[in-house]
Amino acid sequence: MAEDNKDFDWETLCFQMITAAGSVKSDYIEALQAAKAGDYDKADELIKSGDASFSTGHDLHTDLVQREASGEKIEVTLLMTHVEDQMMAAETVRLLVNELIALYRRIG
């Protein structure tokens, strides 16, 4: 966090978080489809991949929050709002897919 706010590439950070959130959602939806088809090994692999992407996005988000907490002025833009929306959507998909896969396992 030694970089100045003016030297920090906010746009790149935002797109990295959006990319991570998109990967999370894709992996989790594919995992749900695999579980629905009874392929729990593939579902587990996709869940692990989604977890890794979620961790990446979360780490980037944590860095941003820490920057603001340390006194850096964070300009809230439409892009930043989109990032927050995508991160929340990824977390929602993550939670629901895990619950649905658990149900498929129980009734399968």
Side-chain angles (χ1 to χ4, degrees):
M1 283 196 232
E3 295 177 81
D4 279 3
N5 196 9
K6 65 180 169 86
D7 295 330
F8 187 73
D9 188 352
W10 297 104
E11 190 173 281
T12 297
L13 179 72
C14 287
F15 283 113
Q16 288 171 333
M17 286 189 285
I18 290 167
T19 299
S23 294
V24 169
K25 291 184 284 185
S26 292
D27 285 343
Y28 273 86
I29 294 302
E30 285 183 48
L32 181 59
Q33 292 168 345
K36 185 177 180 180
D39 190 348
Y40 295 108
D41 290 337
K42 183 174 182 179
D44 290 342
E45 285 178 33
L46 288 160
I47 291 292
K48 286 179 187 171
S49 179
D51 285 346
S53 294
F54 189 84
S55 181
T56 297
H58 181 69
D59 291 346
L60 293 166
H61 189 259
T62 298
D63 180 54
L64 187 60
V65 171
Q66 288 174 340
R67 285 176 176 276
E68 185 173 51
S70 70
E72 286 188 46
K73 176 74 174 142
I74 306 296
E75 182 180 348
V76 178
T77 63
L78 183 57
L79 181 60
M80 189 70 69
T81 302
H82 181 62
V83 167
E84 292 296 323
D85 181 52
Q86 293 303 304
M87 294 296 294
M88 289 187 306
E91 186 167 10
T92 300
V93 168
R94 179 180 185 234
L95 294 168
L96 292 175
V97 165
N98 276 311
E99 288 299 317
L100 289 169
I101 289 174
L103 284 173
Y104 277 126
R105 287 182 194 271
R106 178 181 274 177
I107 64 175

